[in-house]
Amino acid sequence: MVLLTMVLCLSGTGVRTSYASQEASQAAVPDASQDISPATTGNATGTTIIEYGNLRELLKQGNLSLKESIEDYEDNINAYQEIWDTLKREQDNMEDKAEEMGGEDSQTAGIYSSNAAMLKSSASRIYSQLDTMTSEKSTRSLEKSADTFTMTAQTLMNSYNQMVQNVEYQEKRVESLQAAFEAMVRKQAAGTATQARLKEAKKSLDTAGNSLESLRLQAGELRRQLLTMLGIEDSSQVVIGAIPEPDMAAIEAVDYESDKNRAMGNDKNVQNARHTPASSTTEINIRFRLADEAEGTKEAAFLASYQNLQASKTAYEAALTAFQSARLTYEGLQRKQQAGLLTSTEYLEGQAAYLEKKAAKETASMNLAAAYESYCWDVKGISQT
């Protein structure tokens, strides 16, 4: 689709497929269908990998609702473009005829010139409408729609990865508790453990098993929702990629006051209130009051987003420190296991403890990444609710 790239980029540059302007031509825009493939595909195995940074493009190519909106918009553009092209061709033809007849039949030449002028006038009006239709203001609703879909897909992908990360830990925990339960059964049979301790071990195992099943089901549901939104059929060849590590440099560089002002300018409620029609003094005062209320609401919401970002950063730093400590402990555990100083149950318990801290660190990392994305969407005026 010729205009797909233009529509969903933040540049608001107009596009023409034939005559780019009435005075000069512009370079042609490449077909957006050639930009990228729907997903990254492994050469050897045919595996399709869903990359976090590619979600917007995948949505533009695969989400039915978004594609229909783009196609409806492009149909209107193409219809006006065809009219404009026709008028310009006829105008050029009339001008050529007028020039050819100028020295032979001035009256006929005048008719051609008059019609050329009329066609030029009509083409100019159509061009103005095309220019308006392809302006940043006119494409903003499509951009906002793409932003909303992207934000939602990011959230689903983040949640899915958190579930998967915690499934890994929970699987090892169940394995560890299963070994502990079996050991308790042997102890109880030998008379060295009470029935109460055996029941407690069984209860812990059942609880962990239920948690594991719940995590797996939730991960499967999130995967289904994400792939459906992207318009990608699920199969064993489809792999959902990881969430990138949070950009700590960008997070450290956040400027709350500057971002707040940008967020205020991009918020539709604030803008609607500021531009409420008002002619009388009473109406002007009402507009000021509505604008103050909208700005206050937005400022409170944006402050909450900023505070969530800072809290997520603190939580991530704490989880990272805890994980680094757990990794050192785990390395010592591995040395003991290699030396034959641990039972199988003890080693499994140590592995589970390490994976718990690893899952907590990865979860905190993804929460921080999500908090920063949410903050950036707030700055752009994309609501999270």
Side-chain angles (χ1 to χ4, degrees), residues 151-161 222-223 225-226 229:
M151 178 191 69
T152 304
Q154 287 174 342
T155 302
L156 290 173
M157 188 169 178
N158 191 304
S159 294
Y160 168 79
N161 273 276
L222 288 165
R223 175 186 173 91
Q225 291 179 1
L226 176 61
M229 175 173 280

Side-chain angles (χ1 to χ4, degrees), residues 37-97:
S37 59
T40 303
T41 303
N43 293 329
T45 64
T47 300
T48 299
I49 303 174
I50 310 300
E51 299 288 1
Y52 185 81
N54 206 24
L55 288 174
R56 188 182 183 91
E57 291 300 325
L58 295 176
L59 286 162
K60 287 174 4 182
Q61 296 179 29
N63 183 271
L64 292 178
S65 296
L66 190 56
K67 284 178 67 177
E68 286 178 1
S69 296
I70 295 168
E71 288 167 1
D72 287 345
Y73 171 82
E74 289 185 338
D75 285 345
N76 289 332
I77 293 291
N78 290 335
Y80 274 82
Q81 181 70 66
E82 184 177 353
I83 294 170
W84 189 72
D85 289 342
T86 299
L87 291 172
K88 287 297 292 181
R89 280 195 299 270
E90 289 303 317
Q91 175 194 333
D92 291 344
N93 183 49
M94 292 290 182
E95 288 174 348
D96 290 343
K97 293 290 186 182

Side-chain angles (χ1 to χ4, degrees), residues 349-380:
E349 289 173 347
Q351 284 183 308
Y354 166 73
L355 288 175
E356 180 181 17
K357 295 300 182 183
K358 178 174 179 286
K361 187 266 290 186
E362 294 296 335
T363 298
S365 171
M366 287 184 270
N367 282 335
L368 177 55
Y372 181 62
E373 291 282 10
S374 177
Y375 179 84
C376 291
W377 286 123
D378 282 336
V379 172
K380 289 184 66 176

Side-chain angles (χ1 to χ4, degrees), residues 255-292:
D255 184 340
Y256 172 74
E257 288 298 329
S258 175
D259 289 341
K260 181 184 72 174
N261 291 333
R262 290 173 58 200
M264 207 75 73
N266 290 328
D267 185 76
K268 65 178 182 179
N269 293 326
V270 172
Q271 289 303 307
N272 289 341
R274 286 176 175 175
H275 296 96
T276 300
S279 54
S280 67
T281 301
T282 300
E283 290 175 339
I284 291 173
N285 289 334
I286 291 174
R287 181 173 64 188
F288 282 138
R289 177 176 59 78
L290 292 175
D292 286 343

Side-chain angles (χ1 to χ4, degrees), residues 17 32 43 55 107 119 128 131 153 186 212 226 239 261 275 299 326-327 337 347 352:
T17 57
N43 293 329
L55 288 174
Q107 183 176 354
L119 288 164
S128 295
D131 197 48
R186 292 191 294 271
L212 175 58
L226 176 61
V239 177
N261 291 333
H275 296 96
E299 183 171 0
R327 184 167 56 190
Q337 196 269 342
Y347 184 60

Side-chain angles (χ1 to χ4, degrees), residues 331-353:
E331 289 171 355
L333 184 79
Q334 289 178 309
R335 288 192 293 270
K336 288 183 179 181
Q337 196 269 342
Q338 290 168 358
L341 301 177
L342 297 175
T343 66
S344 175
T345 300
E346 287 173 333
Y347 184 60
L348 285 172
E349 289 173 347
Q351 284 183 308

Side-chain angles (χ1 to χ4, degrees), residues 67-220:
K67 284 178 67 177
E68 286 178 1
S69 296
I70 295 168
E71 288 167 1
D72 287 345
Y73 171 82
E74 289 185 338
D75 285 345
N76 289 332
I77 293 291
N78 290 335
Y80 274 82
Q81 181 70 66
E82 184 177 353
I83 294 170
W84 189 72
D85 289 342
T86 299
L87 291 172
K88 287 297 292 181
R89 280 195 299 270
E90 289 303 317
Q91 175 194 333
D92 291 344
N93 183 49
M94 292 290 182
E95 288 174 348
D96 290 343
K97 293 290 186 182
E99 185 175 350
E100 290 174 6
M101 300 295 293
E104 300 176 5
D105 188 340
S106 60
Q107 183 176 354
T108 301
I111 293 173
Y112 282 134
S113 294
S114 174
N115 277 268
M118 181 174 61
L119 288 164
K120 182 177 181 179
S121 176
S122 295
S124 179
R125 285 193 290 272
I126 295 296
Y127 182 88
S128 295
Q129 292 185 55
L130 268 171
D131 197 48
T132 299
M133 292 168 72
T134 56
S135 68
E136 181 178 356
K137 182 177 180 180
S138 295
T139 60
R140 192 171 298 155
S141 62
L142 282 175
E143 293 166 5
K144 293 285 187 182
S145 181
D147 285 343
T148 300
F149 275 106
T150 302
M151 178 191 69
T152 304
Q154 287 174 342
T155 302
L156 290 173
M157 188 169 178
N158 191 304
S159 294
Y160 168 79
N161 273 276
Q162 290 197 33
M163 295 302 108
V164 169
Q165 190 64 229
N166 281 277
V167 162
E168 180 187 12
Y169 152 63
Q170 201 68 31
E171 285 175 339
K172 185 60 66 175
R173 182 164 182 260
V174 168
E175 185 181 354
S176 170
L177 289 171
Q178 179 67 42
F181 173 71
E182 292 172 356
M184 192 64 68
V185 169
R186 292 191 294 271
K187 288 181 179 180
Q188 200 269 339
T192 58
T194 65
Q195 186 68 26
R197 290 182 64 191
L198 181 63
K199 287 183 177 180
E200 186 63 30
K202 183 64 167 63
K203 181 180 178 181
S204 296
L205 176 59
D206 289 344
T207 299
N210 291 336
S211 296
L212 175 58
E213 183 62 20
S214 176
L215 286 168
R216 284 173 172 165
L217 289 173
Q218 190 61 42

